[in-house]
Coordinates of all heavy atoms in Angstrom, one line a residue:
P258 N -62.1 99.2 124.4 CA -61.0 99.9 125.1 C -61.2 101.4 125.0 O -62.0 101.9 124.2 CB -59.8 99.5 124.3 CG -60.3 99.1 123.0 CD -61.7 98.6 123.2
T259 N -60.5 102.2 125.7 CA -60.7 103.7 125.7 C -59.4 104.3 125.3 O -58.4 103.9 125.5 CB -61.1 104.2 127.1 OG1 -60.1 103.9 128.0 CG2 -62.4 103.6 127.5
T260 N -59.5 105.5 124.6 CA -58.4 106.2 124.1 C -58.8 107.7 124.2 O -59.9 108.1 124.3 CB -58.1 105.9 122.7 OG1 -59.2 106.2 121.9 CG2 -57.7 104.5 122.5
G261 N -57.8 108.6 124.2 CA -58.1 110.0 124.1 C -58.4 110.6 125.4 O -58.5 110.0 126.5
T262 N -58.5 112.0 125.5 CA -58.8 112.7 126.7 C -59.8 113.8 126.6 O -59.8 114.5 125.5 CB -57.5 113.4 127.2 OG1 -56.5 112.4 127.3 CG2 -57.7 114.1 128.5
L263 N -60.7 113.9 127.5 CA -61.7 114.9 127.5 C -61.3 116.3 128.1 O -60.2 116.3 128.8 CB -63.0 114.5 128.3 CG -63.7 113.3 127.8 CD1 -64.8 113.0 128.8 CD2 -64.3 113.6 126.4
S264 N -62.0 117.3 127.8 CA -61.6 118.6 128.3 C -62.0 118.7 129.8 O -62.8 117.9 130.3 CB -62.5 119.7 127.6 OG -63.8 119.6 128.0
D265 N -61.3 119.5 130.6 CA -61.6 119.7 131.9 C -63.0 120.2 132.2 O -63.6 119.9 133.2 CB -60.5 120.7 132.5 CG -59.1 120.1 132.6 OD1 -59.1 118.9 132.6 OD2 -58.2 120.9 132.6
A266 N -63.5 121.0 131.2 CA -64.9 121.5 131.4 C -65.9 120.4 131.5 O -66.8 120.4 132.3 CB -65.2 122.4 130.3
A267 N -65.7 119.4 130.6 CA -66.6 118.2 130.6 C -66.6 117.5 131.9 O -67.5 117.1 132.5 CB -66.4 117.3 129.4
V268 N -65.3 117.2 132.3 CA -65.1 116.5 133.6 C -65.7 117.3 134.8 O -66.3 116.7 135.7 CB -63.6 116.2 133.8 CG1 -63.4 115.5 135.1 CG2 -63.1 115.4 132.7
A269 N -65.5 118.6 134.7 CA -66.1 119.4 135.9 C -67.6 119.2 136.0 O -68.1 119.2 137.1 CB -65.7 120.8 135.7
K270 N -68.3 119.2 134.8 CA -69.7 119.1 134.8 C -70.2 117.8 135.5 O -71.3 117.6 136.0 CB -70.3 119.1 133.4 CG -70.2 120.5 132.8 CD -70.8 120.5 131.5 CE -70.8 121.9 130.8 NZ -69.5 122.3 130.4
A271 N -69.3 116.8 135.5 CA -69.7 115.5 136.1 C -69.3 115.4 137.6 O -69.2 114.3 138.2 CB -69.0 114.4 135.4
G272 N -68.9 116.6 138.2 CA -68.4 116.5 139.6 C -69.5 116.4 140.6 O -70.2 115.5 140.7
A273 N -69.5 117.4 141.5 CA -70.4 117.2 142.7 C -71.9 117.2 142.3 O -72.6 116.4 143.0 CB -70.1 118.4 143.6
N274 N -72.3 117.9 141.4 CA -73.7 117.8 141.0 C -74.0 116.8 139.9 O -73.1 116.4 139.1 CB -74.1 119.2 140.4 CG -73.9 120.3 141.5 OD1 -74.2 120.1 142.7 ND2 -73.5 121.4 141.0
R275 N -75.2 116.3 139.9 CA -75.6 115.3 138.8 C -75.5 116.0 137.4 O -76.0 117.0 137.2 CB -77.0 114.8 139.0 CG -77.2 113.8 140.1 CD -78.6 113.3 140.0 NE -79.6 114.3 140.0 CZ -80.8 114.2 139.6 NH1 -81.3 113.0 139.1 NH2 -81.7 115.2 139.6
P276 N -74.7 115.3 136.6 CA -74.6 115.9 135.2 C -76.0 115.9 134.5 O -76.7 114.9 134.7 CB -73.5 115.1 134.5 CG -73.6 113.8 135.2 CD -73.9 114.1 136.7
Q277 N -76.2 116.8 133.7 CA -77.4 116.7 132.7 C -76.9 116.1 131.4 O -75.9 116.5 130.8 CB -77.9 118.2 132.5 CG -78.6 118.8 133.7 CD -79.2 120.1 133.3 OE1 -78.6 120.9 132.5 NE2 -80.4 120.4 133.8
I278 N -77.7 115.1 131.0 CA -77.4 114.4 129.8 C -78.6 114.6 128.8 O -79.7 114.2 129.2 CB -77.0 112.9 129.9 CG1 -75.7 112.8 130.8 CG2 -76.9 112.2 128.6 CD1 -75.3 111.3 131.0
A279 N -78.3 115.2 127.7 CA -79.4 115.4 126.7 C -79.5 114.3 125.7 O -78.5 114.0 125.1 CB -79.2 116.8 126.0
L280 N -80.7 113.8 125.5 CA -80.9 112.8 124.4 C -81.7 113.5 123.3 O -82.8 114.1 123.5 CB -81.7 111.6 125.0 CG -82.3 110.6 123.9 CD1 -81.1 110.0 123.3 CD2 -83.2 109.6 124.6
V281 N -81.0 113.6 122.2 CA -81.7 114.3 121.0 C -81.9 113.2 119.9 O -81.0 112.7 119.3 CB -80.7 115.4 120.4 CG1 -81.4 116.1 119.3 CG2 -80.4 116.5 121.6
M282 N -83.2 113.1 119.7 CA -83.6 112.0 118.8 C -84.2 112.6 117.5 O -84.3 113.7 117.3 CB -84.7 111.1 119.5 CG -84.1 110.3 120.7 SD -85.5 109.6 121.6 CE -86.1 111.1 122.4
K283 N -84.6 111.6 116.6 CA -85.3 112.0 115.4 C -86.8 112.1 115.7 O -87.2 112.5 116.8 CB -85.0 111.1 114.2 CG -83.5 111.2 113.9 CD -83.1 110.4 112.6 CE -83.0 108.9 112.8 NZ -82.6 108.2 111.6
S284 N -87.7 111.7 114.8 CA -89.1 111.9 114.9 C -89.7 111.1 116.0 O -89.7 109.9 116.0 CB -89.8 111.6 113.6 OG -91.2 111.7 113.7
L285 N -90.3 111.9 117.0 CA -91.0 111.2 118.0 C -92.5 110.8 117.6 O -93.2 110.2 118.3 CB -91.2 112.1 119.3 CG -89.9 112.4 120.0 CD1 -90.1 113.3 121.1 CD2 -89.2 111.1 120.4
A286 N -92.8 111.0 116.3 CA -94.0 110.5 115.7 C -93.8 109.0 115.3 O -94.7 108.3 114.9 CB -94.4 111.3 114.5
N287 N -92.5 108.6 115.2 CA -92.1 107.2 114.9 C -92.1 106.4 116.1 O -91.4 106.8 117.1 CB -90.7 107.3 114.2 CG -90.2 105.9 113.7 OD1 -90.6 104.9 114.3 ND2 -89.5 105.9 112.7
E288 N -92.8 105.3 116.1 CA -92.9 104.5 117.4 C -91.5 104.0 117.9 O -91.2 103.9 119.1 CB -93.7 103.2 117.1 CG -93.9 102.3 118.3 CD -94.7 101.0 118.0 OE1 -95.4 101.0 117.0 OE2 -94.5 100.1 118.7
F289 N -90.6 103.8 116.9 CA -89.2 103.4 117.3 C -88.5 104.4 118.2 O -87.9 104.0 119.2 CB -88.4 103.2 116.0 CG -86.9 102.9 116.3 CD1 -86.6 101.6 116.7 CD2 -85.9 103.8 116.3 CE1 -85.2 101.2 117.0 CE2 -84.6 103.5 116.5 CZ -84.3 102.2 116.9
F290 N -88.7 105.7 118.0 CA -88.1 106.6 118.8 C -88.8 106.9 120.1 O -88.2 107.3 121.1 CB -87.8 108.0 118.0 CG -86.7 107.8 117.0 CD1 -87.1 107.6 115.6 CD2 -85.4 107.7 117.3 CE1 -86.1 107.4 114.7 CE2 -84.3 107.5 116.4 CZ -84.7 107.3 115.1
K291 N -90.1 106.7 120.1 CA -90.8 106.7 121.4 C -90.4 105.6 122.3 O -90.2 105.8 123.5 CB -92.3 106.6 121.1 CG -93.0 107.8 120.4 CD -92.9 109.1 121.3 CE -93.7 108.9 122.6 NZ -93.6 110.1 123.5
T292 N -90.1 104.4 121.7 CA -89.6 103.3 122.5 C -88.2 103.6 123.0 O -87.9 103.3 124.1 CB -89.5 102.1 121.5 OG1 -90.8 101.7 121.1 CG2 -89.0 100.9 122.3
M293 N -87.4 104.3 122.1 CA -86.1 104.7 122.6 C -86.1 105.7 123.8 O -85.4 105.5 124.7 CB -85.3 105.4 121.4 CG -84.0 105.9 121.8 SD -83.2 106.8 120.4 CE -82.8 105.4 119.4
E294 N -87.0 106.6 123.7 CA -87.2 107.6 124.8 C -87.7 106.9 126.0 O -87.2 107.2 127.2 CB -88.2 108.6 124.4 CG -88.4 109.8 125.4 CD -89.4 110.8 125.0 OE1 -90.4 110.5 124.4 OE2 -89.1 112.0 125.2
E295 N -88.6 105.9 125.9 CA -89.1 105.3 127.1 C -88.0 104.4 127.8 O -87.9 104.4 129.0 CB -90.2 104.3 126.7 CG -91.5 105.1 126.3 CD -92.5 104.2 125.6 OE1 -92.2 103.0 125.5 OE2 -93.6 104.7 125.2
G296 N -87.1 103.9 126.9 CA -86.0 103.1 127.5 C -85.0 104.0 128.2 O -84.5 103.6 129.2

Side-chain angles (χ1 to χ4, degrees):
T259 59
T260 57
T262 302
L263 292 178
S264 70
D265 290 338
V268 176
K270 289 185 176 69
N274 300 320
R275 282 190 307 160
Q277 289 185 318
I278 296 182
L280 173 63
V281 179
M282 295 166 287
K283 292 192 279 185
S284 174
L285 292 180
N287 183 330
E288 183 185 335
F289 175 77
F290 289 102
K291 289 297 295 181
T292 301
M293 178 184 288
E294 183 179 41
E295 291 165 3

